[in-house]
Structure formats: structure tokens, C-alpha cells
Amino acid sequence: METLAKKLNGFSLEGISNTVSAIQQNPEIAKFELRAKNKWITGGHNRSNIQGFYGACQEDTSRVVPFVYDNDEPPILLGENKGANPAEVILHGLLGCMTTSMMLLASAHGIEVSSVSSSVEADFDLQGFLGLDPSIEKGSQQIRVEFEVEGVTEEQKQELLSLAKQSPVYNTILNPTDVRVEIK
Amino acid sequence: METLAKKLNGFSLEGISNTVSAIQQNPEIAKFELRAKNKWITGGHNRSNIQGFYGACQEDTSRVVPFVYDNDEPPILLGENKGANPAEVILHGLLGCMTTSMMLLASAHGIEVSSVSSSVEADFDLQGFLGLDPSIEKGSQQIRVEFEVEGVTEEQKQELLSLAKQSPVYNTILNPTDVRVEIK
């Protein structure tokens, strides 16, 4: 007997509904611990490895090899462009998470979308980082995200906007987050 | 006549001191607008392009081709592991920025470091994202960063820790950030 796995926007509708049901039955399934490791190379160049994580009550083993990503700085920030700048990296994660959140939840709500593209701009003032002016934020002063979505009504666009704002990364950046740092 | 560009931890000391002097003379130089663009592919798979930015009073043209990075999800989150998960991506950016901040400022302070590695764990509860329990944060509940540094004294380690906390990405995640989102 053949089972047709119905997909919407590339997401398995059965997959979404099974995940939600499983979490409703056992909320422990919803808890994830995501991880990364990093090694400094020289100057502004360093490299991250991302592989395992804990989620759905188990250690994930789906990644045979780690994802390896480099951070570096452009020459004007004393680097050699061997990777994007780490602040650009979080913009990449922000757009990705908002897009995936929007599309997964749109699929759960039965909204089909034909295309999504997005862009982001983030303001930083290095006087904050360098400690030259204590009144200036060390973090980003403002981040502006713009989505362009095709194949939906104006009303659906507003719904998609609110779904994108469910994004874990968006909320991690928008709201204060408990970040603990140790050195040894 | 030969000029020996003195480096510490891979950073040009002249480069650091020229940057700081230039900003002190004209604070406009410190203002940066970083950017990313993203295109949804299917399901949890999307792709970012990172190339230009504005900084030091000019558009940067140092990158001949864009950095191209994919976001995806592991199978347990309904994806196909074509890239790290976007929340893992921001952990990569967080470690990278804290490391670069630490090492650039350590160089300015004359601290030589022989090696730096770091790891991070971040807790997320998908009940927040899925809207199943409004009392649960949609963003990360806690992020734990650990640095391991070699070649310095215990006292210098504590100084390095405070330098790492100058990081723009750390502060963007730690503190509330003004994130504006539009859809069209």
C-alpha cells in the first residue's frame, strides 16, 4: 500500500502534525540544546564546527560530518575576508530562522507561498565596542528586516509577518537573553 | 626603506591604533551598516548572500564574490541537513565575535595569547515557537559560552573575559535590540 506524503511549501504536513501532537503528549520533546564549537586561527579568523545537538529526548546523530564555517573580517576591520564577519553571520541566521518559521507555520495554517526573499540591514557603531563612548551601545542599534513574498493575498502577507515573528532567533535577538560566559 | 608591520595575535598593532585614532578624530568612521540577503528554497532550506556593507564612511568593495551560506534543519526538525539550523548559525556568529573581540582588544592591551577555543550550548523550547504554551519564551532560554585560553596568567584570563564581553554580537543577543520587520 502506497502512502502519499502530502507536502506544502516543501514541508511534510504529516511531519508537522506529528511533531505538534508528540509535543502536546510529552512536552519534554520540545526541549532542544543546540551547540557550536569554535577555534581561533589568527587575528579575526576563526572556525566553527557544528554537529551534534540534543532534542526530542535524544542526542541527534543525523550529521555524519560537522558543518564547518569560518568567521573573518574585511580588510577595513583588519581581516582578510576568509569568511563573513560574525555580525553578518547572525543576520544570515536571523533571515533563515524567520523564513523557516514563516514557511513552517504557513504550511500548518494551509497557506501556500510561491516565493520568499528577504534582506536585512543592521547598524553598529564601533565606538561602543572599542569603549570610546560609554553612551553608545556595543550591540546593534537597529536591525531592519524586509520580506518580499509572492503568491499570497495582502491579508495573508500580514499573517505571514506575524508567523515570521514567532522565530526563535528573532526573539533571541529582540528580547534580553540570559547569556553566561566562563573562561578557563 | 622597509617597514616592519608589528603584529600581535595576528592583528596589525599599527592597524588597530590607526583605526582608534581615526575614529577619535571622526566618529562617523565608526558607523557600520552590515547586510545580508536570503532566498527561500523549499521547506526549511534557504540561502543567504553576504557581500557589501557600509563602514568607515564608504561602501566596501573588498569582496569580489559574495559569501553564500545555507540554512536548513535536521530531519527531526523536518529538514535535510543542507546547512546548520539558523539558531546554530547565530551560535557560530556569537563564538566568532566574542573570540575576535577578545583577541583584537587583547592585542591593543599587549596581551599575547597562544590558543583560544570555545563552545556554546543554547536551550530552546519549541512550545514557545509553536505557540503551544504562551508562558514559554520563543527565543533561547539560556545560552552558555565557555572559553579555553592558553598562554596567559589567571589574571589575564579574567581580563580576556571582560574583553570578550565587549563583543557586538554578544551584546546584541544579551540586550533587547530594536528589530523592525516589514513585508511587501
Side-chain angles (χ1 to χ4, degrees):
Chain A
M1 205 166 66
E2 199 175 76
T3 305
L4 275 177
K6 201 173 166 196
K7 289 201 171 194
L8 187 57
N9 304 315
F11 280 107
S12 154
L13 294 181
E14 199 184 356
I16 295 174
S17 113
N18 287 350
T19 301
V20 172
S21 307
I23 291 172
Q24 284 172 324
Q25 279 164 43
N26 178 11
E28 284 298 309
I29 288 175
K31 294 185 181 166
F32 279 67
E33 183 190 87
L34 303 183
R35 303 169 192 145
K37 287 181 190 295
N38 185 278
K39 186 106 184 67
W40 173 59
I41 298 171
T42 186
H45 186 203
N46 59 70
R47 182 170 292 153
S48 298
N49 270 249
I50 296 169
Q51 185 167 17
F53 63 86
Y54 179 86
C57 302
Q58 62 195 324
E59 282 293 319
D60 185 80
T61 56
S62 67
R63 293 145 170 191
V64 181
V65 292
F67 297 110
V68 179
Y69 300 124
D70 282 24
N71 286 294
D72 197 6
E73 301 291 336
I76 195 125
L77 293 171
L78 311 176
E80 298 180 349
N81 272 334
K82 289 183 177 168
N85 163 294
E88 292 171 320
V89 165
I90 69 160
L91 300 180
H92 153 53
L94 175 63
L95 294 183
C97 191
M98 293 188 81
T99 298
T100 300
S101 299
M102 178 194 284
M103 297 310 284
L104 190 147
L105 296 171
S107 304
H109 290 216
I111 304 173
E112 187 169 11
V113 184
S114 59
S115 89
V116 182
S117 48
S118 56
S119 60
V120 58
E121 301 166 346
D123 298 331
F124 289 90
D125 188 325
L126 295 186
Q127 293 179 94
F129 160 63
L130 291 167
L132 298 176
D133 184 341
S135 75
I136 292 177
E137 287 152 313
K138 299 179 195 308
S140 181
Q141 297 169 304
Q142 187 178 81
I143 298 178
R144 296 171 294 279
V145 175
E146 194 173 282
F147 278 95
E148 202 170 327
V149 176
E150 287 175 9
V152 296
T153 65
E154 279 307 312
E155 199 182 334
Q156 286 173 322
K157 278 185 192 177
Q158 295 314 309
E159 189 175 351
L160 292 175
L161 176 59
S162 74
L163 298 178
K165 288 183 175 178
Q166 296 279 110
S167 152
V169 168
Y170 166 75
N171 284 283
T172 299
I173 292 174
L174 181 74
N175 301 311
T177 301
D178 179 10
V179 188
R180 306 193 175 190
V181 191
E182 283 185 15
I183 194 161
K184 61 179 194 177
Chain B
M1 204 168 65
E2 200 176 75
T3 306
L4 274 178
K6 202 174 165 195
K7 289 201 171 192
L8 187 57
N9 303 314
F11 281 106
S12 154
L13 294 181
E14 199 185 356
I16 295 175
S17 113
N18 287 348
T19 301
V20 171
S21 306
I23 291 172
Q24 283 172 326
Q25 278 163 45
N26 177 12
E28 283 299 308
I29 288 176
K31 294 186 181 166
F32 278 68
E33 183 190 88
L34 302 183
R35 306 169 189 145
K37 288 181 188 293
N38 185 279
K39 185 107 185 66
W40 173 60
I41 297 170
T42 185
H45 186 203
N46 58 73
R47 182 169 293 154
S48 297
N49 270 250
I50 296 170
Q51 186 168 13
F53 63 86
Y54 180 86
C57 303
Q58 62 196 323
E59 282 293 319
D60 185 80
T61 56
S62 67
R63 294 147 169 187
V64 181
V65 293
F67 297 110
V68 179
Y69 299 125
D70 282 25
N71 287 294
D72 197 8
E73 302 290 336
I76 195 126
L77 293 171
L78 311 175
E80 297 180 352
N81 272 334
K82 290 182 177 168
N85 162 295
E88 293 171 320
V89 165
I90 68 158
L91 300 180
H92 153 53
L94 175 62
L95 294 183
C97 191
M98 294 187 82
T99 298
T100 300
S101 299
M102 179 194 285
M103 298 310 283
L104 189 147
L105 297 172
S107 305
H109 291 215
I111 304 173
E112 185 168 12
V113 184
S114 59
S115 89
V116 182
S117 48
S118 56
S119 60
V120 58
E121 301 167 346
D123 299 330
F124 289 90
D125 188 325
L126 295 186
Q127 292 179 95
F129 160 63
L130 292 167
L132 298 175
D133 184 340
S135 74
I136 293 176
E137 286 152 313
K138 299 179 196 307
S140 181
Q141 297 169 305
Q142 187 178 80
I143 298 178
R144 296 172 294 280
V145 175
E146 194 174 281
F147 278 95
E148 203 170 327
V149 176
E150 286 173 11
V152 296
T153 65
E154 278 308 309
E155 200 182 332
Q156 286 173 322
K157 277 185 192 176
Q158 296 314 309
E159 189 175 350
L160 292 175
L161 177 59
S162 74
L163 297 178
K165 288 184 175 176
Q166 296 278 110
S167 151
V169 168
Y170 167 75
N171 284 283
T172 300
I173 292 174
L174 181 75
N175 301 312
T177 301
D178 178 11
V179 189
R180 306 191 174 189
V181 191
E182 283 186 14
I183 195 161
K184 60 179 194 175

